[in-house]
Structure formats: structure tokens, C-alpha cells
């Protein structure tokens, strides 16, 4: 690929550059430095070259995961601040219902925690009726942690008959 960067056909050269960049392989700006890069790779051998590439990619993956985790924490903290700013119980219930029904497991777990806090702090205050079918459906959520936290929460809820759904999930559960 490095030698193809010097191809007279501009499209081939551009595609070679794109491929090298996408693979994370460094190459020089001039033909001489690219020749030195090729010599260095040949001198190191394929094992050292591939090990270096693998280490570089693992580092990039680790950094991306750290960034993703930081953004996830920021997002959940922002959700918490929005939720805390809502004072009306009906609006809070609607807010939680929307997030329980969302696709992201982390957000569902956050919302389940808030529902649990609600139940523990005001056991006499009923949950919004639209939450009940969502909570029952979360028993069979694809995410294991969501299923576990939902089952734990349903154990606190006396007015909701979740036994048939819990039993059905227990029969199909792999964990």
C-alpha cells in the first residue's frame, strides 16, 4: 500500500492513502520517507509490525471506550438533573415512562433506579398506569441487568401482579 501512494494514477494513490489511514499505518510525506518506512517495516519483520499495529489499535480502542464511558456518565448525570428539576409527580412519571421504554440499557437502568427510589420514598403514591405494562415487558428485556433490576423492583410492587410474567421469564432464562 505504501508503494501505491507513489502511483501515477491519482485515484489509485488516493485510495492507497485512504486505506493506510484507515488501518492506522503511518507513511511519510515524500517518496524518500516512504521508502524508509518500507525498509523499516521489512527490517522489523511482519510479526513486529503486526504487534505494533495491534498495540496501537488496542490503545485507540481503550481511549474510545474511556471517552464513551465519560459521555455516558455525563448523559446520565444530565438526565438526573432534568428529572430532579421536574416537581410535578405526573410529569416525573411521564419522564420515567419515556426513558423506561427507550432502547438504551443504561438509560433503562437509570430509570429503574428512579422508579425504585420513588417506590421506596412514597409507597402510597401510585406509579403512572402506563408504566405497569412497560415494567412487565422489561422482565424479558434483551439486557440481563435490566431484567434483574426489573425483577427486583417488581418484588417491591404489591399492587402489580407480575408473577405470571416472572415465571414465564424464569422458564426461558439462560443465566
Amino acid at each position: 500500500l505504501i508503494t501505491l501512494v507513489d502511483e501515477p494514477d491519482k485515484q489509485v494513490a488516493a485510495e492507497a492513502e485512504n486505506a493506510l489511514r484507515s488501518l492506522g499505518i503511518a507513511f511519510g510525506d515524500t517518496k524518500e520517507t516512504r521508502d524508509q518506512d518500507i525498509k523499516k517495516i521489512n527490517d522489523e519483520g511482519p510479526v513486529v509490525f503486526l504487534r505494533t499495529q495491534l498495540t496501537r489499535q488496542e490503545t485507540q480502542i481503550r481511549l474510545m471506550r474511556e471517552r464513551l464511558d465519560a459521555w455516558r456518565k455525563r448523559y446520565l448525570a444530565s438526565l438526573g438533573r432534568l428529572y430532579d428539576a421536574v416537581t410535578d409527580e405526573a410529569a416525573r412519571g411521564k419522564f420515567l415512562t419515556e426513558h423506561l421504554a427507550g432502547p438504551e440499557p443504561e438509560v433503562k437502568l437509570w430509570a429503574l433506579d428512579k422508579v425504585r427510589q420513588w417506590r421506596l420514598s412514597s409507597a402510597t403514591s401510585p406509579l403512572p398506569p402506563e408504566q405497569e405494562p412497560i415494567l412487565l415487558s422489561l422482565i424479558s428485556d434483551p439486557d440481563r441487568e435490566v431484567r434483574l433490576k426489573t425483577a427486583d423492583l417488581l418484588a417491591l410492587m404489591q399492587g402489580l401482579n407480575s408473577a405470571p410474567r416472572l415465571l414465564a421469564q424464569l422458564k426461558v432464562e439462560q443465566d
Side-chain angles (χ1 to χ4, degrees), residues 65-79:
R65 283 189 177 144
E66 288 172 3
R67 288 181 191 144
L68 177 63
D69 190 47
W71 280 107
R72 182 179 296 123
K73 287 177 183 175
R74 286 182 188 142
Y75 177 70
L76 293 176
S78 295
L79 274 180

Side-chain angles (χ1 to χ4, degrees), residues 39-57:
K39 182 180 180 338
K40 180 183 173 197
I41 291 169
N42 286 332
D43 290 346
E44 288 175 345
V47 173
V48 172
F49 173 75
L50 291 173
R51 186 179 303 129
T52 303
Q53 288 300 111
L54 181 61
T55 302
R56 184 178 299 127
Q57 288 178 350

Side-chain angles (χ1 to χ4, degrees), residues 133-140 154 161-170:
I134 293 171
L135 288 171
L136 290 173
S137 72
L138 291 177
I139 293 171
S140 56
L154 290 172
N161 183 11
S162 59
R165 296 290 292 267
L166 287 167
L167 185 58
Q169 183 60 30
L170 182 63

Side-chain angles (χ1 to χ4, degrees), residues 17-152:
E17 286 182 25
N18 289 339
L20 288 166
R21 283 191 189 97
S22 71
L23 293 171
I25 299 172
F27 59 96
D29 294 333
T30 66
K31 179 162 177 33
E32 292 76 27
T33 57
R34 287 190 288 276
D35 288 341
Q36 289 173 354
D37 293 339
I38 292 170
K39 182 180 180 338
K40 180 183 173 197
I41 291 169
N42 286 332
D43 290 346
E44 288 175 345
V47 173
V48 172
F49 173 75
L50 291 173
R51 186 179 303 129
T52 303
Q53 288 300 111
L54 181 61
T55 302
R56 184 178 299 127
Q57 288 178 350
E58 286 173 343
T59 301
Q60 288 176 336
I61 290 170
R62 182 181 47 77
L63 290 172
M64 292 301 288
R65 283 189 177 144
E66 288 172 3
R67 288 181 191 144
L68 177 63
D69 190 47
W71 280 107
R72 182 179 296 123
K73 287 177 183 175
R74 286 182 188 142
Y75 177 70
L76 293 176
S78 295
L79 274 180
R81 285 190 296 277
L82 286 172
Y83 176 76
D84 292 341
V86 177
T87 55
D88 178 53
E89 276 198 13
R92 276 186 161 205
K94 184 177 181 199
F95 187 83
L96 290 177
T97 301
E98 288 173 10
H99 289 85
L100 284 169
E104 302 89 3
E106 295 87 357
V107 175
K108 290 178 191 176
L109 291 169
W110 172 86
L112 285 167
D113 278 338
K114 295 299 181 186
V115 171
R116 180 181 180 80
Q117 290 171 11
W118 187 343
R119 293 303 306 149
L120 292 175
S121 68
S122 61
T124 58
S125 177
L127 291 174
E130 60 270 8
Q131 274 187 12
E132 292 179 5
I134 293 171
L135 288 171
L136 290 173
S137 72
L138 291 177
I139 293 171
S140 56
D141 192 82
D143 186 87
R144 180 182 185 269
E145 292 300 315
V146 171
R147 292 191 308 269
L148 286 171
K149 194 164 270 197
T150 302
D152 185 48

